[in-house]
Amino acid sequence: METSRRPDHEPAAPAPGGPTQPPAVPVLAGRTALVTGAASGIGRACAQALAAAGAHVHVVDRAGEAAERLAEEIGGTPWVVDLSEPAVVDTLPADVDVVVNNAGLQHVAPVHAFPPERFALIQRVMVETPFRVLRRTLPGMYERGWGRVVNISSVHGLRASPYKSAYVTAKHALEGLSKVVALEAAEHGVTSNCVCPGYVRTPLVENQIADQARTHGVSKEEVVERVMLERSAIKRLIEPADVAEAVLWLCGPRTGHITGSSLSMDGGWTAN
Ligand SMILES: NC(=O)c1ccc[n+]([C@@H]2O[C@H](COP(=O)([O-])OP(=O)(O)OC[C@H]3O[C@@H](n4cnc5c(N)ncnc54)[C@H](O)[C@@H]3O)[C@@H](O)[C@H]2O)c1
């Protein structure tokens, strides 16, 4: 009988074509991951999930204490840097197998009143920095013949909302970057995808809920159901761990053909 060898570009996995079974070794054993904005919310959940799957995780965030605490908890390495200075990316590790471009921020104002420096900052952190991170890490992935890029986009990478010009612009740009990387990287065993959540229960959103409740003089519950989730069929916030599960799946052994895609997890928002 012919013995099948694990292709160099695939992680430890169940037999190709066989039924899905729990892998004998964690799917990302021996792999290294870099997660930006890893100290909080979705990034934190991603770092935890990737580490639980066996990866050594570089925890990148400007929130020093939280990054260091998380790195210790998951046996990773903290990198305390401000990603609004894109040149800082050149100080981060280049040899990683998985990149999760996650760091982000929001600012809400109509276009005519939107501070230009705030607009530029959001493009730097959410577009230029991901570009620079990929520019730095893709050559190593190409050399090793395997890699996974997951860009945390948003329903706002696919749809617009008023008053979020910088955020919607940045997420649409990230979608474009992700697709270009998918095309360039395919021949090297590297995939690039976006995950596009609706509202996730994280500090970024908790702050928006509190702001809107104050502005409109209504309860936080009303803000969530009537304002935030108005366009979502499911009237419930997404949990960060659910986003992390999708990210992990995109880094796993069964998703090598998924590239250039945008995985909506928005409670039906974009179906509407
Ligand atoms: N929460 C949501 O509803 C939601 C929905 C869709 C997409 N997203 C996206 O998910 C990503 C994470 O959002 P979250 O809700 O977890 O936010 P969060 O505020 O909980 O976490 C963001 C993290 O990014 C870090 N960060 C921000 N600017 C940074 C900088 N200049 N340098 C270094 N680190 C920086 C913060 O310190 C923080 O730890 C963002 O890209 C966001 O756009 C969030």
Side-chain angles (χ1 to χ4, degrees):
M1 193 178 82
E2 203 181 325
T3 50
S4 64
R5 270 190 58 213
R6 182 160 75 91
D8 290 341
H9 61 278
E10 284 294 334
T20 303
Q21 287 168 350
V25 287
V27 288
L28 293 176
R31 305 286 191 200
T32 300
L34 184 151
V35 182
T36 68
S40 171
I42 294 170
R44 181 184 162 81
C46 289
Q48 288 169 323
L50 293 167
H56 180 90
V57 180
H58 293 289
V59 174
V60 181
D61 207 294
R62 69 177 166 186
E65 227 177 272
E68 279 159 14
R69 248 198 331 269
L70 177 65
E72 196 178 341
E73 175 193 314
I74 64 174
T77 308
W79 295 85
V80 181
V81 293
D82 184 348
L83 296 169
S84 68
E85 296 164 20
V88 93
V89 168
D90 293 336
T91 67
L92 298 177
D95 274 340
V96 297
D97 305 300
V98 172
V99 164
V100 181
N101 278 314
N102 166 78
L105 66 159
Q106 178 65 279
H107 187 92
V108 180
V111 169
H112 62 266
F114 210 100
E117 62 285 0
R118 196 79 183 149
F119 188 93
L121 169 73
I122 288 176
Q123 308 315 308
R124 273 205 308 281
V125 175
M126 292 166 62
V127 184
E128 185 177 347
T129 290
F131 158 73
R132 285 186 183 244
V133 168
L134 295 176
R135 189 175 180 277
R136 182 159 171 79
T137 54
L138 284 172
M141 295 186 205
Y142 291 175
E143 221 171 87
R144 293 184 294 278
W146 191 88
R148 294 287 179 266
V149 175
V150 185
N151 298 299
I152 306 300
S153 176
S154 163
V155 67
H156 285 116
L158 309 169
R159 295 287 187 276
S161 289
Y163 314 122
K164 296 185 176 175
S165 56
Y167 188 89
V168 170
T169 301
K171 291 301 190 189
H172 276 68
L174 186 63
E175 293 275 337
L177 175 65
S178 183
K179 287 180 197 153
V180 171
V181 170
L183 299 183
E184 293 182 10
E187 64 180 294
H188 303 288
V190 178
T191 65
S192 172
N193 292 287
C194 284
V195 172
C196 305
Y199 284 105
V200 184
R201 193 189 308 281
T202 70
L204 184 136
V205 160
E206 305 274 15
N207 292 340
Q208 284 183 58
I209 294 171
D211 279 353
Q212 295 209 19
R214 253 192 319 272
T215 308
H216 301 296
V218 296
S219 72
K220 290 184 185 176
E221 290 70 29
E222 264 179 290
V223 170
V224 172
E225 282 183 28
R226 301 237 181 109
V227 183
M228 290 192 151
L229 299 181
E230 189 200 355
R231 284 180 280 176
S232 173
I234 299 173
K235 307 289 182 194
R236 212 169 52 237
L237 292 176
I238 302 163
E239 298 303 326
D242 295 346
V243 181
E245 190 68 30
V247 170
L248 185 59
W249 177 68
L250 287 169
C251 297
R254 297 281 176 177
T255 45
H257 276 84
I258 302 182
T259 197
S261 76
S262 300
L263 178 61
S264 291
M265 39 188 321
D266 59 12
W269 182 326
T270 48
N272 199 333

